[in-house]
Amino acid sequence: NAGVTQTPKFRILKIGQSMTLQCTQDMNHNYMYWYRQDPGMGLKLIYYSVGAGITDKGEVPNGYNVSRSTTEDFPLRLELAAPSQTSVYFCASSPGTDFYSNQPQHFGDGTRLSIL
Amino acid sequence: KNQVEQSPQSLIILEGKNCTLQCNYTVSPFSNLRWYKQDTGRGPVSLTIMTFSENTKSNGRYTATLDADTKQSSLHITASQLSDSASYICVVASGGSYIPTFGRGTSLIVHP
């Protein structure tokens, strides 16, 4: 099992460019999440999905879009990159949600994104 | 507003020593509290998960405690090893919400 795989690991973008951060999991988890981690701050939830075809906004969704066409994949799209989106992005998955499942979230190793 | 505060912000200890990290939260309604270990350049890895009714949970040399009345949790690391050097993150989930509240983490450095 590879777990949660994120690509690319590093990326530098220019302001206004767009890109897609890829995330795939091989654990057949229904729930998937995107977080961002800024230096010295706690992780913030961007978007989440409770299953294929179902997505919803988290705490900081502005400037991002997601889709979930399969159980395995949950890509995150940045349409018009801005310097404020410089961060480390983590994808995670779990068999259930936080509030009725005691199953842990499994995280990928992150994508480090710089926007200049 | 839901908040999770961790202390200390950073900690340096000698290999073989014990240490305790603190987590105070104001999340309501409470669902569960998780401790994660995050190595530099890696994603967080789950250590323990505790619900309202649990006050202690262990994972090897890691023991987490929870006092739901005072809304405090601690993570005790016994006989520290160099590989324990990492950031330790406290996360509290709120009942009925998909949005957890993460603490900023405690950075632990274990010196030989």
Side-chain angles (χ1 to χ4, degrees), chain B residues 66-89:
Chain B
L66 174 64
D67 186 333
D69 291 331
T70 62
K71 299 186 176 181
Q72 295 179 326
S73 176
S74 65
L75 180 69
H76 185 75
I77 303 174
T78 303
S80 60
Q81 301 176 357
L82 298 179
S83 59
D84 292 331
S85 295
S87 178
Y88 290 85
I89 301 172

Side-chain angles (χ1 to χ4, degrees), chain B residues 39-58:
Chain B
D39 293 321
T40 301
R42 305 296 300 273
V45 174
S46 179
L47 293 175
T48 62
I49 301 173
M50 289 183 292
T51 60
F52 185 88
S53 59
E54 297 174 299
N55 54 25
T56 302
K57 185 161 281 189
S58 293

Side-chain angles (χ1 to χ4, degrees), chain B residues 6-13 19-22 86-88 104-110:
Chain B
Q6 293 188 242
S7 63
Q9 185 174 348
S10 61
L11 182 62
I12 300 174
I13 62 173
C19 67
T20 300
L21 314 180
Q22 300 291 340
S87 178
Y88 290 85
R104 298 184 179 192
T106 292
S107 176
L108 174 66
I109 297 174
V110 180

Side-chain angles (χ1 to χ4, degrees), chain A residues 37 97-98 102-103 109 112, chain B residues 32 38 41-43 49 98:
Chain A
Q37 185 176 38
T97 70
D98 282 350
N102 288 332
Q103 298 297 319
D109 282 336
R112 284 143 189 84
Chain B
N32 61 63
Q38 184 176 23
R42 305 296 300 273
I49 301 173
Y98 287 91

Side-chain angles (χ1 to χ4, degrees), chain A residues 34-74:
Chain A
W34 274 106
Y35 295 94
R36 60 178 288 172
Q37 185 176 38
D38 298 325
M41 303 297 289
L43 276 76
K44 299 287 187 183
L45 182 65
I46 305 171
Y47 270 95
Y48 66 93
S49 169
V50 301
I54 307 171
T55 63
D56 208 346
K57 296 177 181 179
E59 194 175 358
V60 290
N62 292 345
Y64 307 94
N65 280 301
V66 294
S67 60
R68 184 95 181 271
S69 57
T70 66
T71 299
E72 295 78 21
D73 299 309
F74 190 39

